[in-house]
Amino acid sequence: MIADETCRRLVSAARAGDQRALEELIRACLPLVYNVVGSALCRHADTDDVVQQVLLDVVRDLGSLRDPDRFRSWLLVITMREISAHRGRRDREAVRAVPLDDAADLPESGGGFEELAVLRLGLHDQRREVARAGRWLDPDDRGLFALWWQELAGRITRQETADALGVGLTHAGVRVHRMREQLENARAVVAALSAERVCAGLTRAADGWDGEPAPLWRKRLARHVRGCGVCMRANGDRIPVDRLLGDLALVAVPAALAGAALSRFAKTTAMVKTATAATVSVAAVATVTAGVVMLPGAQSTPAAVSRPSASAAVNRPNSSAAVSATAAPVTLTGTRSLELVATPGRFLASGPELATLAQTRTRRTAFTVVEGMSNPDCVSLRAADGRYLRHYAFRIKLAAPDGSAIFRADATWCPLTGDDGRVTLRSDNYPARVIHYRADGELGIDETDGTPAFTAASTWIVRRT
């Protein structure tokens, strides 16, 4: 990554509409994004698509970044969320059953990123073992491993890792410690599987294994390895991971990906201006211009919240195609329930973790409207149990405040309201996305597709509790 002062200058210039600064910023952050995404995903074939989506998000939402000094944290948050969103969307491929003796040398489906690291960085012995051990981690730990790898190399800080995970500094340290324990278990399994002669007991323990690295089989095989003298001898004296990975270079970005990413943004001279303006206004009609998705309502503005009552009122049309200049605004204040227009009689409700819809108004459907945690012109919604409505990995969940700036931004919503008590809740830090009830039955933040169905599934009727 570029030096902090240069990064600050480029971010400020790009926000002001300097296309050259934008392209230089994209060029500078591309290697970090590529390496984090590649290490976090199970299949290298997915990496290019996710990287390009991250960079599109960066360009589109750059105007929402209030502090240029936090660009790297902001970039990593976007990266981790796109990784998580991609995992949730992709179909699981059928796995292949292979003999145990062949399993250690299998490439991942689609070509593993770790194999590229082994080849391009010339990794040998224990470094190769660590890179391949990362494939055995839980999905969330793979993302953390990708961040930690960059942290060890001095490219990001522990605070930036914590920001990317959406947790506090102490919690991040705990998660890194747990991930390291699992990584060491995975290293032992990889070493045992790579031995010249695989232990007969390990072969029996792997009966039924399909040959693909997986967390469940890491646990099963690690139990045998830890108690087997033959397998432990295959491990030898292991060097600590931080000494193995700390001085490694970044895996070079493929020329095709770099060219595609840069050419995609070189054609969008109006994009930075649009992204910068997105924090204060949205487009009149749902359109896609130069790759930027804009929400309905050109005359809509973030809700004005008066202290200390935390009231909010703005105009929003019922139709996605027109704005009613005379519509009487609805006040979003006090304690309210929100009924989804697309599903009459069903209300936004808190769940054990994720938000959901409930068929009757209860304590779970009551939300107290307070001043926005990260933007006083918007609002935050507090459930009866004290948790707040926030987005994480583009899904809507309920969580207690952790004191981080990321949490405050994720828990801040800018209401776009109109007549008939209807309201759309726009994310403060992802201004092109609104709370939307998806076809799969989950609530998330999504960009409008301009259809009446999307409008109905992202519009709420404000009810008194």
Side-chain angles (χ1 to χ4, degrees):
M1 284 291 288
I2 48 182
D4 290 344
E5 183 59 39
T6 303
C7 180
R8 189 181 305 114
R9 175 182 58 79
L10 290 176
V11 171
S12 299
R15 283 165 50 91
D18 186 332
Q19 184 69 10
R20 287 188 177 181
L22 175 63
E23 292 184 3
E24 188 175 344
L25 186 65
I26 292 299
R27 192 187 303 275
C29 68
L30 178 57
L32 178 62
V33 173
Y34 175 71
N35 277 259
V36 171
V37 173
S39 296
L41 292 181
C42 293
R43 299 180 298 179
H44 174 63
D46 299 333
T47 299
D48 289 11
D49 289 343
V50 176
V51 168
Q52 292 209 49
Q53 184 58 51
V54 170
L55 298 181
L56 180 60
D57 289 349
V58 168
V59 174
R60 184 198 58 212
D61 295 336
L62 191 61
S64 69
L65 177 63
R66 295 186 178 88
D67 184 359
D69 288 333
R70 293 186 56 79
F71 173 77
R72 197 158 52 201
S73 289
W74 179 78
L75 171 68
L76 292 171
V77 169
I78 293 175
T79 302
M80 298 306 291
R81 287 178 179 167
E82 282 297 344
I83 290 169
S84 180
H86 178 77
R87 284 201 192 106
R89 291 192 300 264
R90 76 185 183 195
D91 295 328
R92 302 294 181 187
E93 291 187 345
V95 296
R96 296 171 289 119
V98 298
L100 178 61
D101 290 342
D102 298 334
D105 296 324
L106 273 179
E108 274 192 332
S109 303
F113 184 87
E114 290 79 9
E115 301 304 321
L116 290 180
V118 167
L119 293 173
R120 295 182 184 175
L121 300 181
L123 303 187
H124 299 285
D125 302 328
Q126 293 193 37
R127 281 180 169 174
R128 179 191 299 255
E129 175 188 284
V130 171
R132 287 175 170 164
R135 296 165 57 185
W136 293 79
L137 297 173
D138 297 321
D140 286 345
D141 279 344
R142 286 181 61 89
L144 177 55
F145 175 61
L147 293 171
W148 186 56
W149 188 332
Q150 302 309 316
E151 188 182 313
L152 290 176
R155 299 184 187 98
I156 66 175
T157 65
R158 175 57 58 85
Q159 182 61 61
E160 288 165 342
T161 296
D163 290 343
L165 298 173
V167 301
L169 196 60
T170 300
H171 190 186
V174 171
R175 288 192 56 180
V176 168
H177 177 73
R178 291 174 179 170
M179 181 273 296
R180 289 187 65 172
E181 290 181 342
Q182 301 308 322
L183 185 65
E184 290 299 336
N185 287 335
R187 287 181 68 188
V189 170
V190 170
L193 291 174
S194 302
E196 291 186 10
R197 297 186 63 180
V198 178
C199 165
L202 183 60
T203 301
R204 289 192 296 271
D207 183 39
W209 179 41
D210 54 45
E212 289 288 335
L216 176 61
W217 282 101
R218 180 200 72 227
K219 296 173 184 176
R220 291 182 179 179
L221 299 180
R223 280 198 295 268
H224 167 82
V225 169
R226 286 195 300 267
C228 176
V230 174
C231 291
M232 289 307 294
R233 281 196 295 274
N235 281 269
D237 295 325
R238 283 184 287 178
I239 301 171
V241 176
D242 49 359
R243 288 173 54 190
L244 291 170
L245 301 183
D247 60 349
L248 286 183
L250 291 167
V251 176
V253 180
L257 174 58
L262 294 172
S263 64
R264 184 173 185 178
F265 302 124
K267 300 175 183 177
T268 59
T269 56
M271 184 175 288
V272 176
K273 181 178 180 181
T274 302
T276 304
T279 56
V280 294
S281 65
V282 289
V285 181
T287 58
V288 178
T289 303
V292 181
V293 179
M294 296 173 286
L295 294 172
Q299 297 178 26
S300 298
T301 58
V305 180
S306 59
R307 300 178 180 85
S309 63
S311 63
V314 295
N315 290 328
R316 185 193 185 275
N318 292 327
S319 166
S320 62
V323 175
S324 171
T326 60
V330 64
T331 299
L332 186 61
T333 186
T335 301
R336 296 288 185 268
S337 293
L338 299 175
E339 180 182 0
L340 187 63
V341 169
T343 58
R346 300 186 68 186
F347 298 83
L348 180 67
S350 60
E353 180 179 6
L354 298 178
T356 185
L357 294 182
Q359 294 186 348
T360 57
R361 276 187 278 177
T362 65
R363 185 171 180 268
R364 293 196 304 118
T365 65
F367 290 89
T368 300
V369 183
V370 299
E371 182 181 288
M373 289 186 173
S374 68
N375 184 349
D377 292 328
C378 299
V379 301
S380 292
L381 300 177
R382 186 176 66 231
D385 60 7
R387 294 180 299 162
Y388 284 81
L389 198 74
R390 70 169 293 187
H391 65 81
Y392 185 81
F394 300 118
R395 304 164 80 190
I396 305 300
K397 64 183 295 185
L398 278 295
D402 60 13
S404 69
I406 296 298
F407 183 97
R408 292 193 294 271
D410 289 351
T412 299
W413 308 97
C414 299
L416 307 176
T417 66
D419 55 1
D420 298 329
R422 301 190 177 203
V423 61
T424 296
L425 295 172
R426 175 172 64 81
S427 168
D428 184 44
N429 55 350
Y430 281 82
R433 296 176 181 260
V434 298
I435 296 182
H436 173 231
Y437 185 60
R438 298 167 173 169
D440 62 4
E442 281 195 350
L443 287 159
I445 56 169
D446 296 313
E447 298 171 346
T448 181
D449 60 12
T451 63
F454 185 98
T455 299
S458 58
T459 303
W460 308 85
I461 301 173
V462 182
R463 304 292 192 189
R464 293 184 179 275
T465 57

